[in-house]
Amino acid sequence: MEPGSGPRGGGPASEIKGRRENQVWYLKISKLALAFAIIRSKPPGKSCKEYTKHLAKIVSEQDFGWKSKVEALEAEVLRLRQELLLNKICPRFSLENRKPDASAENLLDQECTYPTSYSSQLEDSGCDVSHDYTFDSLGIASDFHQSEHILDTSKYCLEIVPPLNLCCANNEEPLTAPVQFLQHLLEIKRLSEIGILQADLTKLENDSFTMCSSVSQLLDGLTVFYNSPKFPVSDILTEAICVLISLIADNELSNHVLKKCFKKLEEFKKKLIQIILRNSSTNRFQALYAVSHTLILLGRNNILRNSLISLLLSEVHQFAEQLWQAHQTQAVYDITQYENIFSLFMILEQLLQNETEESNISSSEYDGEEKNKFLKNLDQIILHLSDEFPLFSLYLWRVSVLLNSAQIQID
């Protein structure tokens, strides 16, 4: 008699228990049958262990092949959904693969290019540690205002809208499809605002999946690059960052992005912070600058800025306590993380300075738990670390001053 096939009582609970026993019994029988099949089909000259590993390798390769096919089909489905959504939003928008004229190409190149100062820094060897290289209030602030001016001066007509080619050109550019879709979405909105096109952006509410998937692809592609950056930066990466910042800066479209993709954006920010902290390459300043610049641009949005400041405060506070404990016990501390933590300090200073300089400051979420954790025992930590780690202590003090200054402005 099979296990669990006899009479049993006790109602639903007993039936569930019996089904589980049957499942366990069938699993054991299946494993035993598989073992016998492997033993009987084993070729001469091979042990059962070697033959099992060989079969497992064949099955895993088949699974990988199917996985690749599924991913390709999913990408194709998303591409079709992107085209369909653009057609729903604006039926008059041309989806033909046509070549824009030279003037249009020049204009679009200007639209999606970082400021000259930023591009030149990315092409630098990364060894420059002068004051001009740091992204303090005299660096990033001016760079961002310049790039913001470039992004906001787009006034182009229907004839110079670039062709829609949502297929990924090659495997090295997974950002191509989401970037082009989101670019065209931004262009449709701009053209509708100046009266050239009639667009119904409420269609985005009915198809949030396509929007979320496209933004997720964009963030995943940027994460892959920042994990293993290659310089000089490709045009598609530059456009990807421009598109992301433009989406967040647009009042109407940012509502869709923040509402549907907030968790993904939070994960993206956390990953970028960890990339900064864990980067141990010898010549890493160039990559750290690129990641830090992206975080500061994301922090221009009030909602993202509050959560980003909370994340940064948490990381800095955690490392300050670890450094204090290591100093007390004369233990070894992570020198790489110590060097990289200053990038987080600089991002914090920039974001907090922006917070205090804005006239329409609202109560910030980071003023609660994370701020209290950061300020707790801060004077004591600074006092004990100031002799051996003067620069670190100075940055801790500067951040605390900015935090208190922001609170005074709010009050």
Side-chain angles (χ1 to χ4, degrees):
M1 182 185 298
E2 295 181 0
S5 62
R8 55 182 180 268
S14 179
E15 292 180 3
I16 293 173
K17 182 179 179 182
R19 284 197 294 269
R20 288 178 179 172
E21 290 176 352
N22 282 339
Q23 290 173 356
V24 172
W25 184 80
Y26 283 122
L27 180 60
K28 290 180 179 179
I29 293 297
S30 300
K31 289 181 178 179
L32 185 60
L34 178 61
F36 276 118
I38 291 174
I39 293 171
R40 293 186 63 178
S41 62
K42 178 182 71 68
K46 272 194 176 183
S47 67
C48 291
K49 185 177 182 180
E50 291 174 342
Y51 187 52
T52 302
K53 288 183 177 179
H54 173 70
L55 293 175
K57 183 180 179 181
I58 293 175
V59 172
S60 63
E61 288 175 352
Q62 291 175 349
D63 289 343
F64 180 78
W66 280 110
K67 184 180 179 181
S68 300
K69 291 179 181 178
V70 170
E71 289 176 350
L73 291 173
E74 288 177 344
E76 178 65 15
V77 169
L78 179 59
R79 183 187 70 82
L80 295 173
R81 291 183 68 115
Q82 289 170 341
E83 288 187 357
L84 181 61
L85 180 57
L86 289 178
N87 270 312
K88 287 181 179 178
I89 293 173
C90 183
R92 288 184 55 200
F93 188 71
S94 176
L95 299 178
E96 297 177 358
N97 291 328
R98 46 180 163 59
K99 177 76 173 176
D101 57 25
S103 61
E105 287 182 341
N106 294 335
L107 178 59
L108 291 170
D109 288 341
Q110 293 175 0
E111 290 289 332
C112 293
T113 304
Y114 272 115
T116 305
S117 58
Y118 179 60
S119 300
S120 61
Q121 285 171 348
L122 289 182
E123 293 172 0
D124 188 75
S125 66
C127 295
D128 187 4
V129 292
S130 65
H131 292 294
D132 294 336
Y133 184 76
T134 57
F135 44 97
D136 54 13
S137 58
L138 297 177
I140 285 293
S142 60
D143 286 352
F144 178 80
H145 290 314
Q146 185 178 353
S147 61
E148 195 175 43
H149 174 72
I150 293 174
L151 289 171
D152 289 341
T153 55
S154 59
K155 299 289 183 183
Y156 35 84
C157 301
L158 185 60
E159 288 76 21
I160 63 174
V161 174
L164 180 63
N165 182 15
L166 295 174
C167 294
C168 187
N170 56 64
N171 293 331
E172 296 180 355
E173 294 184 349
L175 286 167
T176 301
V179 166
Q180 289 195 3
F181 165 70
L182 295 172
Q183 270 183 333
H184 282 75
L185 189 61
L186 286 165
E187 288 157 4
I188 287 175
K189 184 176 184 299
R190 289 173 182 147
L191 293 172
S192 67
E193 287 176 347
I194 59 179
I196 294 179
L197 288 177
Q198 290 184 350
D200 184 8
L201 293 175
T202 59
K203 298 294 183 181
L204 291 173
E205 291 286 352
N206 301 326
D207 194 0
S208 59
F209 172 81
T210 302
M211 187 76 171
C212 289
S213 298
S214 301
V215 174
S216 295
Q217 275 191 345
L218 181 66
L219 297 178
D220 290 340
L222 288 172
T223 303
V224 169
F225 166 78
Y226 285 130
N227 272 313
S228 301
K230 296 180 181 179
F231 298 98
V233 176
S234 64
D235 291 339
I236 189 65
L237 179 80
T238 305
E239 292 177 7
I241 299 173
C242 284
V243 166
L244 179 61
I245 301 307
S246 298
L247 277 175
I248 295 173
D250 188 280
N251 292 330
E252 187 172 358
L253 294 179
S254 66
N255 291 332
H256 297 283
V257 176
L258 296 176
K259 188 193 309 180
K260 305 294 183 180
C261 309
F262 183 76
K263 289 185 178 179
K264 187 71 177 182
L265 284 165
E266 289 297 291
E267 292 175 5
F268 179 63
K269 290 187 295 184
K270 291 177 183 178
K271 289 177 181 177
L272 293 190
I273 291 174
Q274 292 306 313
I275 288 172
I276 291 176
L277 292 175
R278 296 174 183 175
N279 194 325
S280 58
S281 60
T282 303
N283 192 18
R284 60 184 179 273
F285 304 104
Q286 190 178 16
L288 293 182
Y289 179 88
V291 180
S292 302
H293 187 87
T294 300
L295 283 171
I296 289 177
L297 292 179
L298 290 174
R300 299 292 296 185
N301 179 274
N302 290 333
I303 297 175
L304 297 180
R305 177 172 55 200
N306 290 339
S307 60
L308 178 56
I309 290 177
S310 295
L311 290 173
L312 293 170
L313 287 175
S314 176
E315 290 292 342
V316 171
H317 172 259
Q318 183 178 352
F319 182 77
E321 288 196 333
Q322 291 174 357
L323 192 62
W324 186 22
Q325 292 174 2
H327 175 68
Q328 289 177 321
T329 60
Q330 297 299 310
V332 179
Y333 63 92
D334 190 336
I335 298 178
T336 298
Q337 193 169 359
Y338 175 80
E339 294 173 346
N340 294 342
I341 202 73
F342 290 98
S343 294
L344 300 193
F345 274 126
M346 293 176 185
I347 299 170
L348 259 175
E349 286 193 3
Q350 183 65 48
L351 296 179
L352 290 172
Q353 285 171 357
N354 291 340
E355 185 79 3
T356 55
E357 289 170 2
E358 289 183 0
S359 58
N360 56 339
I361 299 177
S362 59
S363 59
S364 301
E365 295 176 3
Y366 68 86
D367 284 334
E369 184 178 357
E370 290 302 334
K371 178 182 176 180
N372 294 334
K373 283 183 181 180
F374 182 83
L375 295 177
K376 184 180 180 181
N377 300 327
L378 185 63
D379 292 338
Q380 192 174 3
I381 293 175
I382 292 175
L383 179 63
H384 285 85
L385 297 181
S386 58
D387 290 337
E388 189 169 351
F389 305 100
L391 185 60
F392 181 81
S393 302
L394 175 62
Y395 271 97
L396 280 177
W397 175 78
R398 287 171 61 170
V399 170
S400 67
V401 169
L402 286 170
L403 276 174
N404 292 325
S405 175
Q407 183 62 43
I408 291 173
Q409 290 283 344
I410 293 170
D411 294 341

